[in-house]
Amino acid sequence: MGKSKLLFITHEMSPFLELTKISEITRQLPQAMQDKGFEIRILMPRFGNINERRNRLHEVIRLSGMNIIINDNDNPLIIKVASIPAARMQVYFLDNEEYFQRKHVFGDKDGKFYADNDERMIFFCKGALETVKKLGWSPDVVHCHGWMSALVPAYLKTTYKDDPTFKHSKIVYSVYENAFTEALDADFAQKAVMADMTEKHTEVFKPGTNNALHEGAIQYSDAVVLASETIDADVLNYVKNSQKPVLEFNSTADFENYYNFYDEITTDELVNVA
């Protein structure tokens, strides 16, 4: 595939933040694809428990300074970067004091789900796409991992569908086992609406449950990866009914199947264009 460009959007990645199996896959898969000749970019939130000094994060001034609007409020976006020397990969971190500078990730010290997790998610998804635009880097494939990235496919198929940066990007969403049992704020779907969108575009997300986020992401993606052995039956049924290309779960660490999957969906695009 030559120097195809592959963008990973995730809420966790080893060694920076290790919550679930996602952190392992988002560490190993990008490196495996880079070894295959892909050009890689990785974006994740800069949660407060990610140690800046130990991980040598530093601000990227030319990318910082944007504001992300949520519910008519301007929220400053700071971009930081760190390198994984052994892999020759850079990871971009999206930071915001109000949303991410906390000791815990998705719930307080007592495990109570943060009431603003919906806005944190919206901020991350909007901010990720604006950061890639500012990088001036057009990905061939955008691969989303974890529920916090679930709005990215919807935004790419609506607000950003004619944007030169993403116009030809294929969207892949990895479905993992459910990470929470709560529901996001009741107004989540309305808050998530961006330019050139209506509430109808976010209706699938409205329940705010983990299943609803998966189903919304699947609806707007071009292809789906079953990345866990234990995925909710309703979500599996939704994937089946979507009739989209699916990469079945594989417990081995052999990422050749991902390489072939990316190749398949991008080659299909070339055939369709022809």
Side-chain angles (χ1 to χ4, degrees), residues 235-254:
V235 176
L236 284 175
N237 196 46
Y238 196 89
V239 172
K240 183 180 178 182
N241 291 334
S242 75
Q243 298 186 318
K244 297 187 178 185
V246 176
L247 181 61
E248 298 290 343
F249 175 73
N250 187 337
S251 60
T252 70
D254 176 15

Side-chain angles (χ1 to χ4, degrees), residues 7-17 23 26-27 30-31 34 40-46 50 55-60 63 78-85 87-94 124 131 135:
L7 172 66
F8 290 94
I9 300 178
T10 178
H11 66 251
E12 61 176 290
M13 178 186 178
S14 179
F16 307 106
L17 183 65
S23 67
T26 53
R27 170 63 183 86
Q31 184 171 355
Q34 182 172 262
I40 305 293
R41 296 287 186 278
I42 305 164
L43 275 71
M44 67 178 286
R46 192 286 193 186
I50 296 174
N55 292 298
R56 298 182 178 179
L57 270 66
H58 61 271
E59 186 175 347
V60 186
L63 296 177
I78 305 298
I79 305 298
K80 297 174 181 176
V81 70
S83 297
I84 303 176
R88 307 185 317 281
M89 288 192 304
Q90 284 192 321
V91 181
Y92 292 90
F93 292 83
L94 280 67
F124 175 57
T131 299
L135 278 169

Side-chain angles (χ1 to χ4, degrees), residues 6 36 47 69 78 111 191 210 212:
L6 178 54
K36 289 279 194 183
F47 290 111
I69 299 172
I78 305 298
K191 291 183 203 173
N210 209 150

